[in-house]
Each structure stands twice: as structure tokens, then as C-alpha cells.
Amino acid sequence: MKKEQFQTLLQFFKALADESRLKILGILANQECSVEELAALLQLKEPTVSHHLTKLKELNLVTMRSEGNSHLYQLDSEALQSISKEIFTPEKIASLVEDVDNEAWANKVLKTYLEGDVFNNESVHRLKEIPASRKKRLVILKWLVSKFEMGVKYSEPEVNEILKRYHPDCATLRREFIGYQLMQRENSVYWRLTPP
């Protein structure tokens, strides 16, 4: 998401994070109103309503037209639809986290369940236990399957030998590799399916 779109989104939510502003938009979606009418409907003072309208005008959510000495306000539904089309798409919302470290949670799981320095390849890593949580277990399994080379077929004893370096229950780990579709097995021969 572009920085200006992010700022617009932030302003949008800040502006609408107020009960009075939401009510003003609701009223203006149905009818044009003056500041005086809005103040009476919402039981607010006119300067307070003017302040709220200023915030909504900054986002182009309301339009104003003059009629004699008074100003009439109305919801700009086109502007609302434009913001919705421009910013409220799944892709744009997903892009809000572009600068978030997606590996942070996986790294935390590895630190919790592995002995030794997880980020030091020279360090000996032993699995303290197989996590009960499916999501955490998948992190551990992806880390373990990375110890097997892509395109290489391993006999069951070879798989056991590699797994025993990290945890004694190699039978469970083998089953989990198959269950999570990280490895394939045929006639006691195993191979890695996808890179983690």
C-alpha cells in the first residue's frame, strides 16, 4: 500500500472512530442538513458539529452547498465508494503488513522448542519436545524437513538416523512429515516434497 493511501486509511479510521461523526454520516446519508439541524438532532452544540464536519470534509466524505445564509451538508457517497474501491480491497488490506517480519513467530517457536542457538548453524540443536499445537508443530516440522535435501530419496533407516540427531521419537516425526505433506513415502522410501 502506498504511503499516501495508508495515511488516508489511517485518517479515515480516526475520523470514524467517533460516535458523533458516525451518526452525522448516518443522518447525512439520508438527508441534507445544516449545522443547526445536526446539532438539534444529535443534542450537540453547533461548534462541536462544525468541528466534526470539518474532520469529515478533510476526507471528502461530506459535501456542502450554500442555500441563502445557511450551508447544507450531505454524505458524498461517490467519495465513500471511491475510498472503498481504492483502499478496502483484500490485497490493499493485506499490504498493510508488508514491513512486518513474517518469520518472527516461527523464530519464537524455534527458540522455545529447540535447545541451543537456533540461528547458529554450528550449534547443536535438539528438539525439547514435539509441540502439541498443530501450528507450532508445523513450524518445527518445516525446520526439520529442511535437514533433508530436495530430490534425494532416503531409506527409512536413513530418515531415522537424521531425525534421531534432533529427537528420539523418529516414528512420530516421520508420520507427521507425511501427514503435513512435507515428505512422500513409497515402499519405505522417503523424499522431500516442497521447500519449507
Side-chain angles (χ1 to χ4, degrees):
M1 182 175 282
K2 294 178 184 166
K3 187 169 181 159
E4 54 273 7
Q5 287 177 323
F6 185 82
Q7 289 304 316
T8 301
L9 187 62
L10 203 52
Q11 286 177 313
F12 182 84
F13 283 121
K14 282 181 181 178
L16 297 185
D18 182 281
E19 182 181 350
S20 296
R21 287 186 206 131
L22 284 173
K23 286 180 179 178
I24 288 170
L25 283 180
I27 293 167
L28 296 179
N30 292 319
Q31 65 191 42
E32 276 188 321
C33 285
S34 66
V35 171
E36 185 180 13
E37 288 173 299
L38 287 168
L41 289 167
L42 296 170
Q43 299 176 353
L44 295 172
K45 294 184 172 149
E46 289 181 28
T48 302
V49 171
S50 292
H51 168 75
H52 290 313
L53 285 169
T54 299
K55 294 286 185 189
L56 295 171
K57 280 194 298 187
E58 287 172 3
L59 288 169
N60 300 318
L61 290 174
V62 295
T63 58
M64 180 203 63
R65 70 176 184 86
S66 297
E67 188 176 276
N69 291 335
S70 61
H71 299 282
L72 296 175
Y73 294 88
Q74 186 173 359
L75 173 69
D76 187 342
S77 57
E78 286 180 16
L80 189 60
Q81 287 174 351
S82 172
I83 289 174
S84 178
K85 286 179 186 171
E86 199 176 306
I87 296 175
F88 291 114
T89 65
E91 297 80 21
K92 294 286 183 172
I93 296 296
S95 72
L96 292 172
V97 293
E98 286 174 345
D99 60 346
V100 171
D101 180 5
N102 291 324
E103 297 298 316
W105 186 79
N107 290 338
K108 181 181 185 297
V109 171
L110 291 173
K111 284 181 189 175
T112 302
Y113 286 92
L114 294 177
E115 295 172 354
D117 183 358
V118 176
F119 304 109
N120 179 355
N121 290 332
E122 305 300 316
S123 177
V124 175
H125 302 111
R126 296 277 304 161
L127 183 57
K128 296 176 191 174
E129 63 181 290
I130 300 170
S133 156
R134 289 182 54 80
K135 197 169 181 184
K136 290 177 182 177
R137 189 178 317 143
L138 181 58
V139 170
I140 295 299
L141 291 171
K142 283 182 175 182
W143 178 81
L144 276 171
V145 84
S146 72
K147 308 305 176 193
F148 296 86
E149 291 182 44
M150 289 293 295
V152 175
K153 295 198 175 194
Y154 297 89
S155 67
E156 193 167 295
E158 289 173 319
V159 172
N160 289 343
E161 183 184 326
I162 293 170
L163 289 176
K164 283 181 181 176
R165 296 178 198 158
Y166 304 101
H167 194 271
D169 190 354
C170 50
T172 296
L173 293 171
R174 282 194 329 265
R175 274 194 310 274
E176 294 294 303
F177 279 159
I178 303 304
Y180 281 89
Q181 298 180 350
L182 296 171
M183 286 190 116
Q184 184 71 42
R185 176 186 62 212
E186 189 175 306
N187 298 326
S188 298
V189 175
Y190 294 74
W191 62 94
R192 199 170 132 186
L193 288 177
T194 58

